[in-house]
Amino acid sequence: MAHRTAAVDRPPAMADVARLAGVSAQTVSRVLSGHPNVQEKTRTKVLAAVEQLGYRRNSAARALSSGRSRTIGVVTLQTTFYSRAAVTSGIENAAREAGYTVSTATTASLDTSAIEDALSRLADQDVEGVILSVPLTHTSPRIEQLTRSVPTITIDGSRTAATEVVAVDQTLAARLATRHLLDLGHDTVWHIAGPEEWLEAAARRDGWRATLQEAGRAVPPPLEGDWSPASGYRNGLILGRIPDATAVFVASDEMAFGVIRALHELGRRVPDDISVVGVDDIELAEYCSPSLTTVAQPFTQMGALAVAHLLRHIEDPDARAEPALVEPRLKVRASTTRGRARREGDAAGAQAARGTARATTPHPQGPPQA
């Protein structure tokens, strides 16, 4: 009589695998846990039965037998922004390759009480480590206690006494954008910043201001957005009415899209009248009109690096690592061009050169007079 693959009203259990393989349930457990003291012939029979039955081991049972959940927790903000989704995707891919699952706890705000709640939910699931993917501008005794009890990595520059940091150098990102616009001959660079409570936004604002000050340029008052295209649009309507504004560094690509839309509606051409640089290099940046010059952030790499640091921390909780800063890259596209004064100077120089050439060109002699 053929073995039944499973009862019709339940998934296959470990006892079904043991029965089909002709071994005990304990032997099945040892095979699935990777125990070394199992004969290869027995291991092969058990794995064949697992494949035939389509058995999937319950994660709770696996945790009980091994003492490890092989689960990573991620605290992230409840948002539709591309950057957060891209980082989370990088975390999930890297965790999967390492044999871990990911449990995500979202928070609707950046209040310490909301972050405490998210960390507590993950701790209750017995996660082996946590990646904190939200800006932590303020900590609390509860957050400190939770991050001491569970290995924790942050990926935006925030830090508690017990966490390790993996982050993009946001100050450098701002310097690259601002320096690019100054090198094109713009007198100064305006800035549309992200929310004040975000560490990334603060670092970009600081990098922009420092670059202007070091170049001896005027520092315009920053305009503040909230990362959304709508906030970029609102600030673009303000910026577009400032006659002397010829260059702007926008703290995210999504806000930059809104800025470009507002400038277009006001009749200010990008880049001829105002050059625009964003940050992130999301997929749409290359395909907007004009294509967006931006500072690229390696979101997938960030997620993978955070997982690698966390797994090392899990294996050796006493080991301490220096913060890992990833360098961003400037990607020049069609939304930036030379400043108006430099273009006019180049045009005047070219005209003068043409006039000089005409003045120094010898005129052909006419025929000799008889």
Side-chain angles (χ1 to χ4, degrees), residues 120-206:
S120 297
R121 295 201 309 269
L122 293 174
D124 289 344
Q125 297 174 36
D126 292 324
V127 297
E128 293 191 31
V130 170
I131 296 175
L132 201 56
S133 184
V134 292
L136 192 61
T137 53
H138 302 288
T139 186
S140 70
R142 177 63 174 156
I143 290 175
E144 293 287 353
Q145 186 270 324
L146 287 165
T147 56
R148 278 195 301 269
S149 63
V150 180
T152 304
I153 301 289
T154 64
I155 58 173
D156 62 0
S158 57
R159 189 166 194 165
T160 71
T163 58
E164 292 185 11
V165 176
V166 174
V168 174
D169 189 337
Q170 301 296 347
T171 302
L172 177 59
R175 286 183 171 276
L176 290 172
T178 308
R179 187 74 257 170
H180 169 64
L181 292 166
L182 293 179
D183 288 345
L184 287 172
H186 295 278
D187 292 333
T188 191
V189 178
W190 287 74
H191 182 43
I192 298 177
E196 284 187 350
E197 65 269 23
W198 284 71
L199 296 174
E200 296 167 338
R204 292 171 195 171
R205 189 185 296 111
D206 291 345

Side-chain angles (χ1 to χ4, degrees), residues 4-17 19 53-55:
R4 296 176 62 190
T5 58
V8 294
D9 58 347
R10 64 170 177 83
M14 186 178 292
D16 299 315
V17 175
R19 191 177 304 111
L53 294 174
Y55 172 70

Side-chain angles (χ1 to χ4, degrees), residues 27-38 43 47 57 66:
T27 298
V28 174
S29 178
R30 291 171 62 144
V31 169
L32 296 180
S33 298
H35 199 286
N37 297 329
V38 178
R43 188 185 309 277
L47 294 179
R57 196 174 185 194
S66 67

